[in-house]
Each structure stands twice: as C-alpha cells, then as structure tokens.
Amino acid sequence: MLETVAIWGITAKSVSSVMLIWAVYSQYIPRHVRSQMEIYFYKLLGWLSFYVHIKFTEHTEEGLKRSENYNAIRNYLSTNTAARAQRLKANESKNSKSLVLSMDDHEEVEDVFNGVKVKWYSNVKVTETQSNYGRNNSYERRFFTLTFHRRHRGMIIDTYITHVLREGKAIGVRNRERKLYTNNSSSEWYPWMSGKWSNVPFHHPATFETLAMDPEKKERIKKDLVKFSKGKDYYKKVGKAWKRGYLLFGPPGTGKSTMISAIANFLDYDVYDLELTTVKDNSELKKLLLETQGKSIVVIEDIDCSLDLTGQRKTKKEEDEEEDKEKKKEKKKEDEKKSKVTLSGLLNSIDGLWSACSDEKIIIFTTNFVDKLDPALIRRGRMDNHIEMSYCRFEAFKVLAKNYLEIESHELYGEIERLLEETDMSPADVAETLMPKSDEEDADVCIKRLVKTVEEEKEKAKKLAEEEEKSKAEKEEKRKKKKEEEADNKKTEEDEKKVKGSKVNGDLSEKNGTN
C-alpha cells in the first residue's frame, strides 16, 4: 500500500514538473525558436524510432478538393476494423433502418495484412483563426495516420496501401447513396469543411420507362448514355476529358427536369443543381466544380435566365462605345450585382482546362428558348447532344396512359391520336388530365376527360390563331395607311416647295425687269 502511494506521489510530481516546464517553454521561448527546436526534436525521434508514420489528410493542402484517398481509407476502416475500436461514430445508412459504425476522432485500431500488424489513428486538429471582422473562427482538419515497423516499409507502401484504397473505393461504390446537391453562397464556405454544397438523398422515381417520349428517341438517348459510361479508355485515346454535354430544350412542361432524373437513375449518378445567381465570380465557379465528384450530373436549369449569358458577344469597339455611353449606370449596377460570372468564365469551367479535373461527368443545360443562347455556349463539344423536348404526341400519350391508368388500349385512342397531332399540349398537361381525381373515376372517365380537354385546347388555339391573324391584318392595314399618309405628306411638301420656288422666281424676274 505504501509503495503504491509512493509511486502515485512520484508520478504526480513528474506530471507537475512536465507541466511547469511546458508552460515556461510555451511562454518564454520565442515562436521561431520553438519551431526550430521542434524540427530537430522530431528528427531525433525519427532516428531513435523503429516506426514509420504516413499521414492521409481529408483535403488537399490547398483546401480546394476533398481527398478521394481519405474517403476510401474511411470506408475500409469502417468495414474491416471498426469492430475493434473502443469509440465509434454511429451514422445512418441509406435506408435509415440500420447504423453504420466508424472510428471516432482520436481513436486507434490495429489491422493485419499478410501477417504484418499496422495501426491506424483517426485524428482531428482544431485551428483557430481571426477574421477581418475580429471574430474568432475554428476549423477542424481531419486526417488518418498509418503506423508500421520500418522493416515492412516496402510491402506496406507497395502492396498494403494499394489494397486499402482499392477495397475502400469498392466499398464506397457498394454503399453509395445517390444525392442531390445545391451550391451554397460563398459566405457559408469554410476551409477544410464541406461547405460548398448542401445535399439531400436523391429518390426521384422517374425512369426512361415512365418518361413520356417517343420510344425510338428514348432508345437513342439510352444507347448514347451507355456508350459514354463505358468510354473511359476511348476518351483517353482520343485525348478528350471524360465528360459529355446535353442540351434539353423545348416549351415548359415537356419533361426536361424529368429527363434529368431519368438519366440520373439510369446511370446511378449524383445530381449537382448549380444555381449561377449565387456564385460570386468565375473563381468561385471553378472551386464549386472542383468539389463535384465523378459519376455525377451537373445541371444548370433555365440557362437562358441565368445571369447575362444569353446575348451575343460584342466586339471591342461596341463594348467601348457602350462603356462610354452608360458608364455611370453600369457602375451602379455593378455595385448591386451579386454575381460576376461571365460567359467566358462559364465556358472555361465546363470545357476548358478545369473540365478535366474529374472524370465521368455529364453537364446538362435546359432552356425554353434555345434561340436566345450564345452559339459558343451550345456548340458541339460543349453540348454534344441536343435533345428537343416536344409537345405530347400519341406515342408519348400511350406511355402516360399506361403509367397513370394502367391501360394500353381504348376505343377513343384513334380520336386522341388525331387530336394530339393537331393540338400542341404539353406532357405535363396531358398527365394532369389523365390522373384520377377521386376513387370513383376510372380509366374510361379520365380518357373521355382528356378528349374533351384536347378539343377545348384545339378550339382555344384556333381562336388564338384567328385573333393573331386578325391582329396581324390590322397591323398591316395600319402600316399601309401610315405609309400612304407619309407618301401624301411628302407629296404635299414637294408641291409646296414647287409653289414657293415658282413665286420666288417670279419675284426675281419682276425685279430684274424694273431695273
């Protein structure tokens, strides 16, 4: 008992002495001197230690991109070693019915590979910084440290690490939950944290089977997607970044957003919904796109409404003239403008050097007015496949009837085919009309309602066309009348000039005769 008390007394004194020395060292030794001393201290430890340490950080040193290796190691450790850890993190799985356990911060586990034991440490370092506004911000920098005996250096570096990364990536693919991302405002970005994008699970049910479109057109799109998804070696051979652009254009309600969901479900890709109006400048746009992963779709919906990207680019002379003419007005607008993303910046981000920073990516633009877009934005090579989302015709109607009413034929199908060929009606309007509004409504009621609705739309379109024709004729009549009035006024002015000229000549003649 006395020996135990004595041991505890010695330990307490030792700890107190170490704490005192550390306090004196931290307070009275200058920072630059401490840095040099720590360098030599770690060198000394390296000479005396028989162990090698390899650090894997969560982000690159520049903080621009998340490390795929870090994610792969985390997946590997969660599956292969988490059962031996003392402290664990519990995360929901993608079905939210079970938990996925992973190592907690500052935890240590052992792993055995080919009879060799290694240790993994999960670390987090908190860094305090002061902003320009005087507020203190703290950032967490996570990393894994692999420790092993130096006599196994060759095997660990050449074989074990490759094994861990390969297994971790495979586990990530198996457990991957597809997500829908939206970009955050730059004021919400934080270094070393995933603050550029927010996400929710992507569970949209749309598929190509339920998409209201001509079957042959759908098959062509599916074949194109399959060819792209298997084209890694081909794109490398031809010297192109492994990406593909799709332009979806057509009137509202024709299924552009549904098409995006169908593509995502068909390829099992994530979706990044990029809102350009919240992006401050071209530099931020590049950083956002760097944070997107492979096997993803980057979507810019209604590109014709996103900033000032739709007009034709002006020549230098025209720009100078406009700048001189509206200098004050533009300066005021510039101060109020939230986003300075330019057409050139967008083009460089999606198709320049930065576009090759991640593989297997599809970029989709949607628009209701394709004629408004700059040709450089939608040329082949940027938007490789132009897909027109048209009004609902008979083949698309049959898909909707099968989806909503579970029927493949009806006595009114012939009448519907004739009406849909003569009337422009969006798939969204047809689908809403076909949808039963109560339990009492059956397929027959819904089909008859569609026939009536299409007939009404046809009559409306006919009246609108007649009104437009009438308005056009009235405008033409006014134009002709105005032209005639202008001609009459011009003739009157010429006659007045002739009369005035004759009078002047007469006066001159009379004056000359008198003289």
Side-chain angles (χ1 to χ4, degrees), residues 88-101:
L88 300 168
K89 290 181 181 179
N91 302 303
E92 289 186 356
S93 66
K94 59 184 178 181
N95 56 21
S96 301
K97 294 181 180 179
S98 60
L99 294 177
V100 176
L101 300 179

Side-chain angles (χ1 to χ4, degrees), residues 71 198 246 299:
N71 292 332
S198 297
Y246 284 81
V299 179

Side-chain angles (χ1 to χ4, degrees), residues 217 220-225 244-249 259 263 362-365 378-388:
K217 194 171 184 178
R220 289 197 299 270
I221 296 171
K222 288 167 66 176
K223 289 179 180 178
D224 186 75
L225 293 169
R244 191 156 177 81
Y246 284 81
L247 175 67
L248 308 182
F249 65 95
M259 169 66 81
I263 293 174
I362 290 177
I363 300 172
I364 297 181
F365 292 163
I378 59 176
R379 69 163 175 82
R380 307 292 179 176
R382 290 194 176 109
M383 295 294 105
D384 307 283
N385 196 344
H386 294 193
I387 302 174
E388 182 178 5

